[in-house]
Amino acid sequence: MTCAASLAVSFAVPWGSNAFASASASRATRSAPASSGAKLTFRRVFKSSTPEFIEISVREDSDDATYEIRQLDDDAGAAKFEVSSALRSKMFALAQQLNRFQQQDLDVHRKIANLGEKTFRWEQGSESHEVKFNYTLNASASQLLQIFEGLARQQELLMLLERRMKYDRLGINDALLQFETELNRKLLPEPERALPTLDQIAGDSRFIEIGRQRARNLAERIRHQS
């Protein structure tokens, strides 16, 4: 089950766990400058899926964000990426609509399959609030979930493209097809983040021509949409 397709996950690692502390102490997090702005974090864990663990944190006052996408047995550690001010504004507006997750009951409370537990967390200075739910019909929460899951899927695909570029050049077209499928489904919040990678593939004669042409077409399409 991919992260884009799943609507919920099992939340198996608590916020105060060693795994979370290790992730917080990672190189990406240690090197981040101190900030007084608010921070939004989304976490999901889904055992026996791929990936099993996703965590994304974005700051209200900085393009710098962190993501962690891995299997539970893998070493913990966040990496940096960027989220535009326009998308961050939308995310924080949705969080405000949810009262910064204070006193919120988002779960549908119906007898449905155990889809797992998701958590949104707001932090600003000494203030912190979080809300957990299995499945929600709340419109603001659903929109925020879609953005976070889209960012995770976007980074997952970029990681796949980078791996294929390094270790499996013949498989680059398959990775591009996966990217194109998610782009067609409008699941990628900021596909323009992939432009440097797409341009590199398109201009590298070591890749098969069908992959290079697909990369060119995708880059042109993204630039036109932007």
Side-chain angles (χ1 to χ4, degrees), residues 160-161 164 171-182 197-198 201 210-216 218:
L160 175 63
L161 285 170
R164 295 288 172 86
I172 197 68
N173 190 57
D174 176 69
L176 289 166
L177 278 170
Q178 292 185 50
F179 183 91
E180 185 174 11
T181 296
E182 304 295 50
T197 300
L198 294 173
I201 295 169
I210 189 173
R212 296 177 66 194
Q213 187 59 50
R214 189 177 300 279
R216 291 188 199 100
L218 285 169

Side-chain angles (χ1 to χ4, degrees), residues 20-95:
F20 183 72
S22 176
S24 298
S26 68
R27 180 174 63 185
T29 305
R30 287 199 306 268
S31 61
S35 171
S36 60
K39 180 172 77 170
L40 287 180
T41 300
F42 168 70
R43 175 185 278 190
R44 75 182 205 178
V45 176
F46 198 161
K47 289 185 176 180
S48 301
S49 67
T50 303
E52 292 179 316
F53 181 91
I54 294 171
E55 184 173 283
I56 293 180
S57 293
V58 298
R59 292 192 173 274
E60 190 172 22
D61 57 358
S62 174
D63 287 356
D64 292 335
T66 61
Y67 72 94
E68 189 172 357
I69 303 173
R70 59 179 173 84
Q71 298 302 105
L72 288 170
D73 290 339
D74 293 342
D75 293 337
K80 289 183 178 180
F81 75 121
E82 292 188 351
V83 178
S84 70
S85 60
L87 185 59
R88 294 197 321 273
S89 294
K90 182 176 181 179
M91 297 170 75
F92 278 88
L94 290 167

Side-chain angles (χ1 to χ4, degrees), residues 76-206:
K80 289 183 178 180
F81 75 121
E82 292 188 351
V83 178
S84 70
S85 60
L87 185 59
R88 294 197 321 273
S89 294
K90 182 176 181 179
M91 297 170 75
F92 278 88
L94 290 167
Q96 290 287 358
Q97 291 173 24
L98 295 166
N99 195 30
R100 303 193 301 279
F101 314 134
Q102 298 179 81
Q103 300 177 335
Q104 295 293 300
D105 185 2
L106 299 180
D107 199 272
V108 70
H109 294 295
R110 294 179 184 171
K111 191 175 181 179
I112 59 175
N114 181 14
L115 301 173
E117 186 175 71
K118 298 173 288 294
T119 299
F120 293 139
R121 184 175 178 90
W122 170 286
E123 297 173 88
Q124 186 172 24
S126 60
E127 177 187 1
S128 66
H129 311 285
E130 67 178 46
V131 61
K132 302 179 181 182
F133 56 97
N134 175 53
Y135 180 74
T136 187
L137 296 176
N138 182 286
S140 296
S142 295
Q143 289 179 61
L144 186 57
L145 176 63
Q146 184 178 27
I147 292 172
F148 270 121
E149 289 194 324
L151 286 171
R153 182 58 175 157
Q154 183 174 292
Q155 290 308 121
E156 188 181 14
L157 289 168
L158 284 172
M159 289 162 53
L160 175 63
L161 285 170
E162 290 169 2
R163 284 197 303 271
R164 295 288 172 86
M165 290 170 70
K166 290 181 180 179
Y167 307 116
D168 182 15
R169 291 173 188 158
L170 292 177
I172 197 68
N173 190 57
D174 176 69
L176 289 166
L177 278 170
Q178 292 185 50
F179 183 91
E180 185 174 11
T181 296
E182 304 295 50
L183 184 65
N184 291 341
R185 297 172 65 192
K186 302 185 185 302
L187 294 178
L188 309 180
E190 296 189 311
E192 61 273 16
R193 300 292 179 185
L195 284 172
T197 300
L198 294 173
D199 289 342
Q200 185 177 350
I201 295 169
D204 193 332
S205 61
R206 293 175 298 175

